[in-house]
Amino acid sequence: MSIIFHESTKVFHLYNKHVSYIMDVLPNGQISQIYYGRKLRDRSDFAHLQDSTCRPCSSWPLPELPNFSLEFTRQDYPGFGTTDFRQPAYEVLQANGSHITDFRYTGHRIYAGKPELPGLPHAYVEQDSEADTLEIDLKDQLTGVEMTLLYTIYNRLNAIARSVRFVNRGAETVKLDRAMSMSVDFPDHNFEWMQFSGAWARERAPKVRPLEMGVTAVESMRGCSSAHQNPFVILKRPETTEGSGEAYGFTFVYSGNFLAMAEVDTYDVTRFSMGINPREFSWKLSPGAEFQAPEVLLTYGNTGLNGLSQTLHTLLRTRVARGPWRDKARPVLLNNWEATGMEFTEEDVLKIARKGAEVGVELFVLDDGWFGKRTEFSGLGDWYADTAKLPGGVKGLADKINALGMKFGIWIEPEMVNEDSDLYRAHPEYALCTPDRRKSLGRNQLVLDFSNPEVVDCIYDQLVKSFDGADISYIKWDMNRSITECYSSHWPADQQGEVYHRYILGVYSLYEKLLAKYPDLLFESCASGGSRFDAGMLYYAPQAWCSDDTDAAERVRIQYGSSYGYPVCSWGAHVSVCPNQQLGRVTPLETRANVAYFGAFGYEMDLNALSDKEIEQVKGQVAFMKAHRELFQFGTFYRIRDPFANDKAAWMVVSQDQREAIVGLYQLMNNVNNGYTQLPLQGLDPKLDYQVDGNEVYGGDELMHYGLMPQDTSSHPMMGLFSPDRKPDITGDYDSHLYHLIAK
Ligand code: DGJ
């Protein structure tokens, strides 16, 4: 058991080989936060770690203890208004208008395993022996509301899952105005805050800044986790690098509005909290009702950012993602979107698919345009095949694709509706909008009210009818606009604060229904590229379209940023045409593939437009990916050289047995006669010798401690300095090289 409770001191100690998380029960019955970090030996009393020096001008909640104030006490799930003035984790609004509560410890349970969170994505265990769970109960006597704090610590992974459940056991209805999933107080603020920010086509760029007194936060109010801010934050020590030092990760397993916040108080205590964004959130708790908040995964490591990322990769890949595709190398796919847009005939599509079959593609994906009377202004909501485009319906095309020896996949955007659609004409009330007010459009579409189960059922029924009998292996689930005017005609006035959350629960429920009906489906989630790229989505869809930006140089940055929190196999990465459709940039076909191999690999183009020579190259790429995809997608990933800070970037994957590795080196901008490019590799076995690209053999120690020395034109100008048998590995802008290392 990796959770100890000391009855005499009421200390809870959660630990595994690497980490300790320690709390106790405070004099007022709340739960304290004593320590979270590198493992400590257990003892029955850790009270001395809680600095309780009385501070001037503070107030105290217990008359008999004037030295005890919540203002200077570290807590694990704090409230507001009873001597703590910092950001609270929860707020319960009562009938008399007050938010003041007094939750006190009433008991706890410790058990092996991890509970399910009904209706919500969450990390799981396959055997109860993998993790232990602590549930701490607290009760507010006056209202009868009970709060249960849930903590699961994994034995082998440096991870703790946290969430909270509220149950109203009183007689009066209350409202939860805030229910963050977790809060933790650290005794210092010697941290750098690392967030992953961007916008459409430039998602998840790391941004780092020191924490200072006051609030640092990222959030989304778009109804989805968003391309703008990701629900994943790292707190790292200033000296922490990729290879060494302490870092804490916080991953929200949720896809809707969120808030992640660090508040440094005047005594240098850092309070970090994460959960559903309290803005526009309010949940009615009638007598007997309960509310389960989504889960946050806390990860910790003292081996640098690469180590923290690797913990997250394993955790998300093996204990959040589910289903038959979880551990399987992903099929090489070909998608028609950048080739045809919405305008195509079945023959156009088949022509592209035939070329795909010729180069060895395994899965053909039909993107937007196949249904209803689809134009950029119409059709969404009508999930029946447009027989002008697909005369034999979805099944007709699927059969033809299957006959080419490929699996068939299809695009949907089930959460949306165009005003010009049969669905909207029949059910305008199915769209989210405020009564008697204007409706804002995004991409000419409205958002369906997925908080209403009837709407979810209607879309499900339509999809199942269209897909009936067709052999569909893959679905790309898109979502192309943020929610505005979030009002549901299905819910009464006093429950409108629930709509954003109920909406995302509706999205999850449609995923569950489709997965129950088609358990072997591979889902790829998508939201104008990476606008809903989060751990919640991974529970249903083990891969996500990382970005609409398919330019190879930009993708190096986007995939590099994504790798901090998400595993390689979780992002779709495709080779597309040049000039690139988003940037107009021309990059070598080889580089486009060298970037996309590190991902769920595919092509997004009309392969018929390529020359015979290029087609031969593509055949080679597909064969290469098939031969090495386990290594790319499930190997241990290391960031080696940062594309946000350098003209050259590099990353690598290493096999579990450390006998094979592939290093990707990318030249973003060439330069001439510069210093040497030294690439200190990671994760190799120092005792082994590795042959690089079938040529020279170097020691693993040498490759890691000195580094690989690429032959490039920035240290050697191109003119004749290389001997004929030693060509430069990289030359001009956007060139790249994959180094294949095999232990001898
Ligand atoms: C946005 C997606 O990110 C694209 O890949 C494509 O599926 C379009 N939507 C289709 O409308």
Side-chain angles (χ1 to χ4, degrees), residues 14-140:
L14 290 71
Y15 68 94
N16 59 26
K17 220 170 130 200
H18 304 282
V19 72
S20 281
Y21 194 102
I22 303 171
M23 303 166 282
D24 69 5
V25 180
L26 291 167
N28 71 336
Q30 270 182 244
I31 304 300
S32 77
Q33 162 52 231
I34 294 180
Y35 176 84
Y36 174 32
R38 196 170 179 157
K39 190 188 172 174
L40 299 182
R41 271 180 290 131
D42 188 50
R43 53 189 289 168
S44 60
D45 193 353
F46 283 100
H48 53 285
L49 297 186
Q50 177 79 269
D51 180 353
S52 52
T53 317
C54 190
R55 304 293 183 158
C57 297
S58 51
S59 325
W60 55 97
L62 303 176
E64 67 278 17
L65 281 179
N67 286 345
F68 169 70
S69 174
L70 295 169
E71 182 171 2
F72 53 80
T73 301
R74 296 201 308 275
Q75 299 153 70
D76 220 52
Y77 198 72
F80 175 76
T82 55
T83 76
D84 191 341
F85 303 93
R86 293 167 289 178
Q87 298 286 336
Y90 65 92
E91 285 179 292
V92 182
L93 179 66
Q94 298 135 67
N96 65 4
S98 166
H99 274 125
I100 300 299
T101 50
D102 182 12
F103 281 93
R104 298 186 198 174
Y105 168 79
T106 56
H108 70 269
R109 291 164 294 290
I110 295 173
Y111 53 88
K114 182 174 188 305
E116 303 264 306
L117 303 188
L120 284 167
H122 55 86
Y124 57 88
V125 291
E126 288 189 334
Q127 311 286 334
D128 280 351
S129 56
E130 287 177 20
D132 293 307
T133 295
L134 164 68
E135 298 193 5
I136 304 179
D137 298 323
L138 299 103
K139 184 164 188 165
D140 178 49

Side-chain angles (χ1 to χ4, degrees), residues 113-373:
K114 182 174 188 305
E116 303 264 306
L117 303 188
L120 284 167
H122 55 86
Y124 57 88
V125 291
E126 288 189 334
Q127 311 286 334
D128 280 351
S129 56
E130 287 177 20
D132 293 307
T133 295
L134 164 68
E135 298 193 5
I136 304 179
D137 298 323
L138 299 103
K139 184 164 188 165
D140 178 49
Q141 284 301 338
L142 200 62
T143 56
V145 175
E146 289 178 1
M147 168 202 287
T148 299
L149 307 178
L150 291 95
Y151 303 81
T152 298
I153 182 159
Y154 281 82
N155 297 328
R156 293 248 176 101
L157 284 163
N158 255 345
I160 295 174
R162 283 194 58 181
S163 70
V164 61
R165 186 169 63 234
F166 288 89
V167 186
N168 185 354
R169 304 238 182 260
E172 156 193 304
T173 295
V174 298
K175 273 192 165 186
L176 284 176
D177 280 346
R178 178 189 292 241
M180 302 300 278
S181 293
M182 55 77 60
S183 179
V184 60
D185 287 353
F186 293 95
D188 65 275
H189 81 290
N190 189 27
F191 286 115
E192 285 181 345
W193 162 280
M194 203 169 172
Q195 67 190 48
F196 300 86
S197 305
W200 175 80
R202 54 176 172 86
E203 297 89 345
R204 292 176 295 288
K207 308 275 175 198
V208 184
R209 58 184 181 276
L211 282 187
E212 250 312 332
M213 274 176 206
V215 170
T216 304
V218 288
E219 64 173 351
S220 169
M221 281 301 295
R222 294 173 175 269
C224 60
S225 44
S226 90
H228 306 75
Q229 305 292 358
N230 195 265
F232 166 59
V233 168
I234 295 174
L235 293 185
K236 71 180 204 56
R237 298 297 181 187
E239 65 277 12
T240 297
T241 63
E242 287 289 0
S244 69
E246 265 196 323
Y248 296 82
F250 302 90
T251 303
F252 201 17
V253 191
Y254 188 64
S255 316
N257 291 345
F258 74 91
L259 173 65
M261 176 169 54
E263 179 181 12
V264 179
D265 74 13
T266 189
Y267 305 117
D268 296 333
V269 167
T270 300
R271 170 167 295 175
F272 181 89
S273 60
M274 191 176 230
I276 293 178
N277 201 322
R279 195 139 59 96
E280 298 287 315
F281 171 82
S282 159
W283 196 272
K284 184 174 167 183
L285 265 192
S286 306
E290 73 174 57
F291 177 80
Q292 169 66 55
E295 187 164 88
V296 173
L297 300 174
L298 288 71
T299 41
Y300 166 78
N302 50 24
T303 57
L305 293 172
N306 268 321
L308 187 79
S309 296
Q310 286 157 11
T311 299
L312 276 156
H313 295 173
T314 308
L315 180 65
L316 297 190
R317 187 169 66 70
T318 66
R319 290 297 177 267
V320 173
R322 300 173 299 169
W325 283 101
R326 187 187 77 174
D327 304 325
K328 267 197 229 157
R330 307 295 156 71
V332 174
L333 72 77
L334 170 62
N335 177 301
N336 70 310
W337 175 246
E338 287 203 10
T340 65
M342 296 173 197
E343 290 305 317
F344 52 80
T345 63
E346 186 175 70
E347 188 40 39
D348 296 336
V349 165
L350 284 169
K351 200 168 155 219
I352 298 171
R354 276 185 217 111
K355 203 68 182 174
E358 186 188 319
V359 300
V361 162
E362 297 161 302
L363 167 69
F364 179 81
V365 179
L366 179 65
D367 211 280
D368 193 352
W370 60 269
F371 52 90
K373 297 281 165 278

